[in-house]
Structure formats: structure tokens, C-alpha cells
Amino acid sequence: MRLKEDLEKAASEILESRRPLLSHLNADTSWVLTLPYPSNASRPSGRALFNILIDPWLQGPQTDYYSWFSKQWHVIPSSVQTIAELNACLRSMERTIQSRNADADTTPDAASNNHEDSLLNCIDLVVVSHEFTDHCNRKTLREIPSNTPVFATKAAARLISSWRHFQHVQSVASFSIGKHDWKNASITEIPSWLQIARIVSHNDAMFFHSAILITFNIMSSNEDASTEGLVYTPHGINADDLKSLSLALPRINVLALLHGLHDIRISRRQLNLGAHNALRAQRISGSRYWVSTHDEVKKAEGLVNHLLRRKAWTIEDVLQEERQKDKELDVGSPLANVHDVHFANLGSQSSSMGFFKSFRGNQPDTIIGGENPQSYNSPSGSASSHRPSDQQYFAPPPNPPPGHTEYHPPPGPPPSHKFQDDPPPYHDWTIIPDTALLPPPPSIGHGASPAGNASRSEADRAHDWCRIYPLIRPHQPATVHHDFVRNGNIELVKPREFQGTLSKAGLGSWKGSTVPGGQDACLLSSLPSYFALPDSPLITGMKKIIYFEVKILSYGRGSGSDASSLALGWCALPYPTWRMPGWERGSLAVHGDDGRRYVNDTWGGKDFTGPIHAGQTVGLGMTFSIPDAPPEYGSLPAQTPSIKVDVFFTRDGVKESGWSLHEELDAQDDLGVDGLDGQFDLYAAVGLFGSVEFEVNFRRDRWLWQPS
């Protein structure tokens, strides 16, 4: 893995130089800022480095609101595909340091925890700059251990808290002009040598153009001399809003500005402020480096993609234009010097990084490392001054360079070319396709059930378990097992969490009961009703229906009925059997206590039907079929699932309701349909809690509902 190798090589230098290391995880805007612990700071056993993960989005699509509106993918794969891979890289860097250094600098504190435990998660905190899914990506963030602190903007913090995954989520306060003591706007629940604040534009109601300010003191105890800062603004921030940094107390040496090159607009609305604003922001803030970010030209679908206009600036072009403007400015203007620009493009590859060298001394500082770092220095070689009086200019030597003769152009005209940054043809966005052809809006999910809810600790344990045990790939069944399923000869398996009795009432028929106050337990069938390999409609050319029924004989045995219920669903294996079906990945279910449907949904489900009462017989089925030809949405691209999957629910023999598995999903709240889309074997599941008496039937001749 390239990132792992690069970090291992950087390990020794980061401690010797005691300088920050910035690693770009993809070509867009996911970063890791690595800081060596100050020599006098306490730290966990075996740790020499403090890692801050910024805006992680590693793989998969990101959707804004609806797929037809905006959906994007990375074009260049991230250097790591999962948080586990990233942690392995960071852990390898720590172990490289341990193997090369046996001095006191890497000796753990006596009171520290177990050495290996401290290396399980090397991500010390997470920073999220915006609530949009390319910055606040639920899939990636939920891979991070739940005890990792998250610091986010207000809207993003509210969204992340609603997932109920992280134990500590805090909103970052604003620091702006008039709040010169920036520490008052910083977070206190982090090491004293590190602070995080936010710079906002008060005329930007959505705070789209804002910045995260990360400050640290890793060189000295003298704050005025050694506090350094990094300004991270993926969409750009109005350059004048950075004037507060020059007034900050204690003084901040702005080490780097992370700001994009590209100018991106929708009509007159500017989304990413681009290179000219970045140059102005660098000069006003006094930032030593400008590092490009959020400039990946991603694969995109949806309406927004047709409205976007991108001007892909190069550093050479923007500097040339700025130097023309430079001549028109007053000599005393802080914007009158564009010769002293340190720019680094760490975004052209999937993995690249750079060290920030010290402010001290008169030698030019550059970012070391990366695939193609570029540094544009002043002619004098002084990278620390922005004052014209410090500049020196040198005339070129006389005569042509040695070894050069008179130049003659090649014969013939130059080859024709087309500028890649030409805007695409105008799209008349007022021509909206027939909305009847657009998918319906997603059903609204709930944060909690009005009925039964499991504990947070049980949910966390299940999430960790699912990360350790991935879904099992499908297998070709023996003919005898396939025949068993076709004939309804399926058994139920009791998990160890099950408290009660379960007995066979006939071929494919089971009767059971649970004790009052029984904990959550999930009964699973012994064989899958859907074998992905032989049953797939892509193989057979025919649709496949799976179905079973459950009759509720009684709840609660006369008392405590509000604390007893049943759910019926389908699961891919393995599944944590102390969790109700539908709550974890690879599962769906309808719950009897609230009548909601759950699809890979840990929270409160979606409104679907009414509660299931004692005496009723309910069934849950899935139909797998070859997808219909998708409708034409004009210029809007449509993504067609490989297998069409519909879910249906019956009550007392009548089909009551259903939904399409591939319905439009909510970009913020839904986790997708992994494991349920016909690519994995699926097992029947019956979830129980409290006191319930029930019967389960897998045989078709005993169902109240009969397929037509």
C-alpha cells in the first residue's frame, strides 16, 4: 500500500524535525494532519504522534438530497478504502518509530494504558467542516470507532449526533473579527497544546464559505512565538474574513491555507471561490503555504451536474493574471506582492503528503514529499516576507545560455487542440423533465421507535461485531438442501440469547414462546430461502418469490404487553442474534410493536403499517426479478439495479403493503441495501422480546396468503 510505505518513510523525520505532516487521502478533500506530541505532553502508551482526520469520504457515492438531483463518485480511488486500512497505516508509522527510537521521547508514561490497546485506533479526533455528504460521509464516518471524538460545524454535528454512533460530538464555535482572543472560541475537551475554532462570514447564512482553524503549539511553551495554525476552507472563504487572524491574541503564525484552485458556479451562485480568492486569502492571512483541496473532477450524475460550470485554473495562469493586477496596486497595499507564493498541489494523485518546515530562519521553506509539489518562491528566496522592501530583483545574465543555438520552429502549423477547461455547451435548466418519471421522494426515517428501543451499548457492540465479521459470500447448495427449501422443510435455530421454548409442530412448522422480560433475540432459519447462485433471475430468467408467515398467539400473557413484541424479516449471514432483524447491515424487517419497516436501520425505522396484534397472522415476502427497462428522464442519467427486488407484507392472508428495495433513499439517513439486493443468500428471521407465543410456517400449503 503506497500510503503505508510513505508514512513509514516519514516516521523518523517527523520526530527529528518535529514538524507537522499533511497527508492527502484522495484527490478531493479528505486529509490527515499528523502532529508530533510536544516533548512535555502526556500521551497514550506507544504513541508518538497525534492524528486529526479531516472530512473523510473514502469510497462509494455521495448524494445530495436525491440521486436524480446530485450524485458523485471519486474518479481516482482513495489511497485507503476503509478506516481499518487507514488505522493500519497510522499504526505502522507508530511501530516504525518504536523500532527506530528507544530514547525517552517514545517511552510511555507510567500511568498509560496497555501499549497495544492504544494502537487499536490511531485516529485521535475527527474534524468535519460541512454537513454535505462529500464532507460528512455517513458510511465512512460510521467505520470510525465510536469513542473517537468528533468536532464539527453546527449543522454537521446535529446530523452526526442523530446517527447515535459517536459518544462525543461537539459543535465548533465561531471565531471572527471582534473576538480577538481566539482561544475563547476554541474547544476545551482536547489537549491544551491543540485548539480548533471556526471562521465564518456573517453575510453567508448557510456558512457555505467558512473555514476551520486548527492551531497547535508543538515546538515551545511560548505561545506567542510558537503557536501555528492551519486554515482549512474547502469551498473557500471571503478573504476579508481572514483579517481577524492578524488581530488574534495570542498571535497565530498561519502555516498553511487549504483552499481550492477551481472556480465552480451554478448560474451566478459561486460554490467554490477559486484561485484568485485563494491568493488574496493567502496574502491577508500571511499564510506560509497554499495547498489546493476539493478540486477533484468527480464522476457525477443528476441535475446539478448539468448546471455546474467549472474553471480549472492552473497556478501559472492565476499568478500571471495577478501580477498584471499587482502593477495597479499601491506599493503599501498588503495585496501588492504576488511574487512570494508557496503553492503545493497534493491532489493529483490518490496519496500524497508533505512536511511543513519551520518558520524560523531566512531560508525558503517548501513542502517536502508528494507526487508533484510546486513551490513558487520570491526571486530573493525569502518565503517569510510579504513586504516589498524585502524583495530583491535580479537581471538575467547577458547573452544566450551556453550550448544553445538559434531556434527554428518545426515546419507546418501546430496541431489542433481544444482547451480542456472550455465550458460545456449551455444547458437550458428551465426545461425540467416530466416529474412523473422521477422517483418518489424517500420515506422519512425516525430517530427512535415510539415502542421498544435497545440500549446504546448493545447497538455499539453489534456495530463492532459487524465490522469484524463481514457478510459471507453465497455458495452453491447441495441438491438435497435446495429441495428442502422448495418443500418448506426448514428449521429454526435458537440463539443463546433466546429465553423460552421452541418445538417442531410439523414439517416446516414451529411453535414457540418466550419468558416475560426476555431480552432481544433473533431466530434464524437453518437454510436460506433464497440461494443467490441458483435462484438469481439473472441465471434462471424467472422471478423468485420467498415468503413465510408468523401467527401471534398472545403477547405478554395478560400483563406487560407494551414490553413484548415480534418482528419478521430477512437476513444475510452472519447476523448478531442479540439484535432485532432490520437493525444491522444485511437485514430488513417489519416490527410488530410500531408497524415500521427497518432496512439496515439502527434507529427508528420508517412508517409502513399498523402494529401487529395478538391473534393475527402476518407474512413477509421478497420478489426477485429481472429489472424493467428504465424510463427516459431526458438528460438525467438513471442507474438501474442488476436485480429488481420488491418487498411485500400480508396480514391475515391479504397483501397489505410493500415497497421497492431500490426506492429513492435519503442521502443523510439511509445506509443502502447491502446484502439484500439478490447478491447474497437470505435467511428467514423472527425477532422477539418480552413474552410472546407464536407459530412460524414455511410450508406453502399452510399459508393464509397464496401466490397467484
Side-chain angles (χ1 to χ4, degrees), residues 309-323:
R309 295 295 178 265
R310 178 188 297 264
K311 170 64 177 177
W313 287 99
T314 66
I315 186 63
E316 293 87 353
D317 290 341
V318 75
L319 283 177
Q320 182 177 357
E321 285 199 10
E322 288 288 321
R323 284 172 179 142

PDB file of all heavy atoms in Angstrom, residues 309-323:
ATOM      1  N   ARG A 309     -20.656  24.887 -13.657  1.00  0.00           N
ATOM      2  CA  ARG A 309     -19.643  25.454 -14.545  1.00  0.00           C
ATOM      3  C   ARG A 309     -18.337  25.538 -13.770  1.00  0.00           C
ATOM      4  O   ARG A 309     -18.288  26.131 -12.697  1.00  0.00           O
ATOM      5  CB  ARG A 309     -20.068  26.841 -15.047  1.00  0.00           C
ATOM      6  CG  ARG A 309     -21.314  26.809 -15.933  1.00  0.00           C
ATOM      7  CD  ARG A 309     -21.034  26.052 -17.233  1.00  0.00           C
ATOM      8  NE  ARG A 309     -22.214  25.976 -18.079  1.00  0.00           N
ATOM      9  CZ  ARG A 309     -23.054  24.963 -18.092  1.00  0.00           C
ATOM     10  NH1 ARG A 309     -22.867  23.929 -17.267  1.00  0.00           N
ATOM     11  NH2 ARG A 309     -24.096  24.956 -18.898  1.00  0.00           N
ATOM     12  N   ARG A 310     -17.294  24.922 -14.314  1.00  0.00           N
ATOM     13  CA  ARG A 310     -16.008  24.831 -13.621  1.00  0.00           C
ATOM     14  C   ARG A 310     -14.929  25.519 -14.439  1.00  0.00           C
ATOM     15  O   ARG A 310     -14.758  25.229 -15.623  1.00  0.00           O
ATOM     16  CB  ARG A 310     -15.636  23.371 -13.388  1.00  0.00           C
ATOM     17  CG  ARG A 310     -14.273  23.154 -12.702  1.00  0.00           C
ATOM     18  CD  ARG A 310     -13.907  21.680 -12.698  1.00  0.00           C
ATOM     19  NE  ARG A 310     -14.837  20.882 -11.927  1.00  0.00           N
ATOM     20  CZ  ARG A 310     -14.661  20.533 -10.673  1.00  0.00           C
ATOM     21  NH1 ARG A 310     -13.557  20.920 -10.030  1.00  0.00           N
ATOM     22  NH2 ARG A 310     -15.561  19.792 -10.044  1.00  0.00           N
ATOM     23  N   LYS A 311     -14.195  26.413 -13.807  1.00  0.00           N
ATOM     24  CA  LYS A 311     -12.994  26.995 -14.398  1.00  0.00           C
ATOM     25  C   LYS A 311     -11.805  26.382 -13.668  1.00  0.00           C
ATOM     26  O   LYS A 311     -11.561  26.659 -12.496  1.00  0.00           O
ATOM     27  CB  LYS A 311     -12.997  28.520 -14.242  1.00  0.00           C
ATOM     28  CG  LYS A 311     -11.672  29.192 -14.603  1.00  0.00           C
ATOM     29  CD  LYS A 311     -11.298  29.019 -16.076  1.00  0.00           C
ATOM     30  CE  LYS A 311     -10.014  29.777 -16.401  1.00  0.00           C
ATOM     31  NZ  LYS A 311      -9.586  29.570 -17.799  1.00  0.00           N
ATOM     32  N   ALA A 312     -11.080  25.501 -14.356  1.00  0.00           N
ATOM     33  CA  ALA A 312      -9.967  24.788 -13.742  1.00  0.00           C
ATOM     34  C   ALA A 312      -8.684  25.599 -13.914  1.00  0.00           C
ATOM     35  O   ALA A 312      -7.971  25.462 -14.903  1.00  0.00           O
ATOM     36  CB  ALA A 312      -9.819  23.401 -14.354  1.00  0.00           C
ATOM     37  N   TRP A 313      -8.404  26.464 -12.966  1.00  0.00           N
ATOM     38  CA  TRP A 313      -7.203  27.297 -13.022  1.00  0.00           C
ATOM     39  C   TRP A 313      -5.954  26.463 -12.806  1.00  0.00           C
ATOM     40  O   TRP A 313      -5.959  25.477 -12.085  1.00  0.00           O
ATOM     41  CB  TRP A 313      -7.260  28.375 -11.933  1.00  0.00           C
ATOM     42  CG  TRP A 313      -8.228  29.484 -12.191  1.00  0.00           C
ATOM     43  CD1 TRP A 313      -9.475  29.609 -11.677  1.00  0.00           C
ATOM     44  CD2 TRP A 313      -8.021  30.628 -13.021  1.00  0.00           C
ATOM     45  NE1 TRP A 313     -10.077  30.755 -12.137  1.00  0.00           N
ATOM     46  CE2 TRP A 313      -9.191  31.403 -12.968  1.00  0.00           C
ATOM     47  CE3 TRP A 313      -6.955  31.067 -13.816  1.00  0.00           C
ATOM     48  CZ2 TRP A 313      -9.334  32.597 -13.662  1.00  0.00           C
ATOM     49  CZ3 TRP A 313      -7.095  32.253 -14.508  1.00  0.00           C
ATOM     50  CH2 TRP A 313      -8.269  33.000 -14.429  1.00  0.00           C
ATOM     51  N   THR A 314      -4.850  26.894 -13.420  1.00  0.00           N
ATOM     52  CA  THR A 314      -3.522  26.412 -13.047  1.00  0.00           C
ATOM     53  C   THR A 314      -2.844  27.511 -12.249  1.00  0.00           C
ATOM     54  O   THR A 314      -3.187  28.693 -12.368  1.00  0.00           O
ATOM     55  CB  THR A 314      -2.666  26.073 -14.277  1.00  0.00           C
ATOM     56  OG1 THR A 314      -2.393  27.294 -14.995  1.00  0.00           O
ATOM     57  CG2 THR A 314      -3.393  25.087 -15.185  1.00  0.00           C
ATOM     58  N   ILE A 315      -1.872  27.152 -11.456  1.00  0.00           N
ATOM     59  CA  ILE A 315      -1.186  28.149 -10.629  1.00  0.00           C
ATOM     60  C   ILE A 315      -0.444  29.146 -11.514  1.00  0.00           C
ATOM     61  O   ILE A 315      -0.368  30.344 -11.207  1.00  0.00           O
ATOM     62  CB  ILE A 315      -0.232  27.461  -9.623  1.00  0.00           C
ATOM     63  CG1 ILE A 315       0.370  28.491  -8.670  1.00  0.00           C
ATOM     64  CG2 ILE A 315       0.819  26.651 -10.322  1.00  0.00           C
ATOM     65  CD1 ILE A 315      -0.629  29.197  -7.795  1.00  0.00           C
ATOM     66  N   GLU A 316       0.079  28.677 -12.655  1.00  0.00           N
ATOM     67  CA  GLU A 316       0.809  29.585 -13.541  1.00  0.00           C
ATOM     68  C   GLU A 316      -0.119  30.665 -14.097  1.00  0.00           C
ATOM     69  O   GLU A 316       0.232  31.853 -14.122  1.00  0.00           O
ATOM     70  CB  GLU A 316       1.455  28.803 -14.692  1.00  0.00           C
ATOM     71  CG  GLU A 316       2.570  27.854 -14.273  1.00  0.00           C
ATOM     72  CD  GLU A 316       2.039  26.484 -13.884  1.00  0.00           C
ATOM     73  OE1 GLU A 316       0.792  26.328 -13.808  1.00  0.00           O
ATOM     74  OE2 GLU A 316       2.864  25.586 -13.635  1.00  0.00           O
ATOM     75  N   ASP A 317      -1.325  30.238 -14.534  1.00  0.00           N
ATOM     76  CA  ASP A 317      -2.245  31.195 -15.134  1.00  0.00           C
ATOM     77  C   ASP A 317      -2.725  32.230 -14.129  1.00  0.00           C
ATOM     78  O   ASP A 317      -2.804  33.428 -14.426  1.00  0.00           O
ATOM     79  CB  ASP A 317      -3.453  30.456 -15.727  1.00  0.00           C
ATOM     80  CG  ASP A 317      -3.090  29.647 -16.961  1.00  0.00           C
ATOM     81  OD1 ASP A 317      -2.035  29.933 -17.545  1.00  0.00           O
ATOM     82  OD2 ASP A 317      -3.857  28.736 -17.321  1.00  0.00           O
ATOM     83  N   VAL A 318      -3.051  31.796 -12.952  1.00  0.00           N
ATOM     84  CA  VAL A 318      -3.599  32.738 -11.976  1.00  0.00           C
ATOM     85  C   VAL A 318      -2.513  33.692 -11.489  1.00  0.00           C
ATOM     86  O   VAL A 318      -2.766  34.880 -11.235  1.00  0.00           O
ATOM     87  CB  VAL A 318      -4.277  31.987 -10.814  1.00  0.00           C
ATOM     88  CG1 VAL A 318      -3.253  31.365  -9.865  1.00  0.00           C
ATOM     89  CG2 VAL A 318      -5.193  32.927 -10.041  1.00  0.00           C
ATOM     90  N   LEU A 319      -1.281  33.213 -11.369  1.00  0.00           N
ATOM     91  CA  LEU A 319      -0.195  34.108 -10.961  1.00  0.00           C
ATOM     92  C   LEU A 319       0.069  35.162 -12.036  1.00  0.00           C
ATOM     93  O   LEU A 319       0.345  36.325 -11.727  1.00  0.00           O
ATOM     94  CB  LEU A 319       1.077  33.309 -10.681  1.00  0.00           C
ATOM     95  CG  LEU A 319       1.115  32.551  -9.353  1.00  0.00           C
ATOM     96  CD1 LEU A 319       2.395  31.743  -9.250  1.00  0.00           C
ATOM     97  CD2 LEU A 319       1.001  33.509  -8.178  1.00  0.00           C
ATOM     98  N   GLN A 320      -0.012  34.748 -13.280  1.00  0.00           N
ATOM     99  CA  GLN A 320       0.214  35.704 -14.366  1.00  0.00           C
ATOM    100  C   GLN A 320      -0.840  36.815 -14.327  1.00  0.00           C
ATOM    101  O   GLN A 320      -0.514  37.998 -14.472  1.00  0.00           O
ATOM    102  CB  GLN A 320       0.185  34.987 -15.710  1.00  0.00           C
ATOM    103  CG  GLN A 320       0.466  35.902 -16.902  1.00  0.00           C
ATOM    104  CD  GLN A 320       0.506  35.138 -18.208  1.00  0.00           C
ATOM    105  OE1 GLN A 320       0.381  33.923 -18.233  1.00  0.00           O
ATOM    106  NE2 GLN A 320       0.692  35.860 -19.294  1.00  0.00           N
ATOM    107  N   GLU A 321      -2.096  36.459 -14.141  1.00  0.00           N
ATOM    108  CA  GLU A 321      -3.146  37.471 -14.075  1.00  0.00           C
ATOM    109  C   GLU A 321      -2.977  38.364 -12.854  1.00  0.00           C
ATOM    110  O   GLU A 321      -3.171  39.582 -12.922  1.00  0.00           O
ATOM    111  CB  GLU A 321      -4.519  36.792 -14.044  1.00  0.00           C
ATOM    112  CG  GLU A 321      -4.954  36.230 -15.379  1.00  0.00           C
ATOM    113  CD  GLU A 321      -6.446  35.986 -15.445  1.00  0.00           C
ATOM    114  OE1 GLU A 321      -7.164  36.428 -14.509  1.00  0.00           O
ATOM    115  OE2 GLU A 321      -6.907  35.355 -16.420  1.00  0.00           O
ATOM    116  N   GLU A 322      -2.628  37.759 -11.730  1.00  0.00           N
ATOM    117  CA  GLU A 322      -2.474  38.543 -10.507  1.00  0.00           C
ATOM    118  C   GLU A 322      -1.302  39.513 -10.612  1.00  0.00           C
ATOM    119  O   GLU A 322      -1.357  40.618 -10.084  1.00  0.00           O
ATOM    120  CB  GLU A 322      -2.292  37.607  -9.308  1.00  0.00           C
ATOM    121  CG  GLU A 322      -3.554  36.866  -8.906  1.00  0.00           C
ATOM    122  CD  GLU A 322      -4.573  37.777  -8.239  1.00  0.00           C
ATOM    123  OE1 GLU A 322      -4.170  38.648  -7.455  1.00  0.00           O
ATOM    124  OE2 GLU A 322      -5.770  37.622  -8.517  1.00  0.00           O
ATOM    125  N   ARG A 323      -0.243  39.115 -11.281  1.00  0.00           N
ATOM    126  CA  ARG A 323       0.910  40.008 -11.407  1.00  0.00           C
ATOM    127  C   ARG A 323       0.591  41.198 -12.298  1.00  0.00           C
ATOM    128  O   ARG A 323       1.173  42.276 -12.139  1.00  0.00           O
ATOM    129  CB  ARG A 323       2.115  39.223 -11.920  1.00  0.00           C
ATOM    130  CG  ARG A 323       2.737  38.349 -10.833  1.00  0.00           C
ATOM    131  CD  ARG A 323       3.798  37.413 -11.337  1.00  0.00           C
ATOM    132  NE  ARG A 323       4.342  36.634 -10.228  1.00  0.00           N
ATOM    133  CZ  ARG A 323       4.682  35.357 -10.308  1.00  0.00           C
ATOM    134  NH1 ARG A 323       4.530  34.714 -11.456  1.00  0.00           N
ATOM    135  NH2 ARG A 323       5.165  34.730  -9.263  1.00  0.00           N
TER     136      ARG A 323
END
